[in-house]
């Protein structure tokens, strides 16, 4: 079992930036990523990174604005969010999968508890 703990959410004005982090409780060759959810909507994929860090995947809605990265030594993944928009407001969840980024996007093995991001207009 892997526990994921997110940090870095908060309130920011439109056009601003935030960096989310997610620490995994144990070392492993996990693909990791981020999803988000707003009330009344399904959880949606945001970004993923392979366990090597060499492969990344992004949702079209965040391409060019968000960057996912990882520090393998710290078992931590980051999501740098720039040029934030009010529509980015959501509860952001960290996820991990023992397989590939494709498998993570489809159905992650592990989830964090979520961190709230609110973007004001």
């Amino acid at each position: 079992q892997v526990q994921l703990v997110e940090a870095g959410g908060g309130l920011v004005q439109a056009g601003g930036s935030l960096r989310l982090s997610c620490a995994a409780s144990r070392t492993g060759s996990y693909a990791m990523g981020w999803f988000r959810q707003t009330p009344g909507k399904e959880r949606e994929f945001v970004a993923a990174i392979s366990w090597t860090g060499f492969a990344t995947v992004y949702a079209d809605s965040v391409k060019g604005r968000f960057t996912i990265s990882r520090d393998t030594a710290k078992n931590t993944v980051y999501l740098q969010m720039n040029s934030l928009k009010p529509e980015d407001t959501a509860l952001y969840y960290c996820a991990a999968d023992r397989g590939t980024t494709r498998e993570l996007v489809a159905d992650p093995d592990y989830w964090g508890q979520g961190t709230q991001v609110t973007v004001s207009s």
Side-chain angles (χ1 to χ4, degrees):
Q1 190 72 13
V2 176
Q3 279 75 49
L4 304 173
V5 179
E6 302 102 332
L11 173 64
V12 64
Q13 288 189 333
S17 299
L18 280 175
R19 189 175 82 152
L20 306 182
S21 64
C22 171
S25 61
R26 57 186 295 180
T27 302
S29 54
Y30 304 106
M32 297 185 75
W34 295 91
F35 290 71
R36 65 187 182 187
Q37 188 171 24
T38 54
K41 293 187 177 181
E42 291 189 358
R43 197 173 299 185
E44 66 171 0
F45 167 72
V46 176
I49 188 167
S50 63
W51 75 272
T52 62
F54 292 152
T56 56
V57 184
Y58 295 93
D60 288 342
S61 59
V62 306
K63 280 181 182 177
R65 300 188 299 121
F66 291 12
T67 302
I68 189 169
S69 61
R70 69 188 300 163
D71 184 333
T72 303
K74 296 182 178 179
N75 300 328
T76 300
V77 65
Y78 304 95
L79 185 68
Q80 178 66 44
M81 305 184 294
N82 298 329
S83 302
L84 281 161
K85 305 174 181 180
E87 51 263 44
D88 294 317
T89 295
L91 188 60
Y92 282 71
Y93 293 92
C94 180
D97 194 277
R98 291 164 290 182
T100 64
T101 52
R102 179 176 293 183
E103 290 170 293
L104 180 140
V105 172
D107 186 16
D109 294 323
Y110 307 106
W111 291 98
Q113 293 299 307
T115 185
Q116 179 67 38
V117 171
T118 303
V119 184
S120 63
S121 57

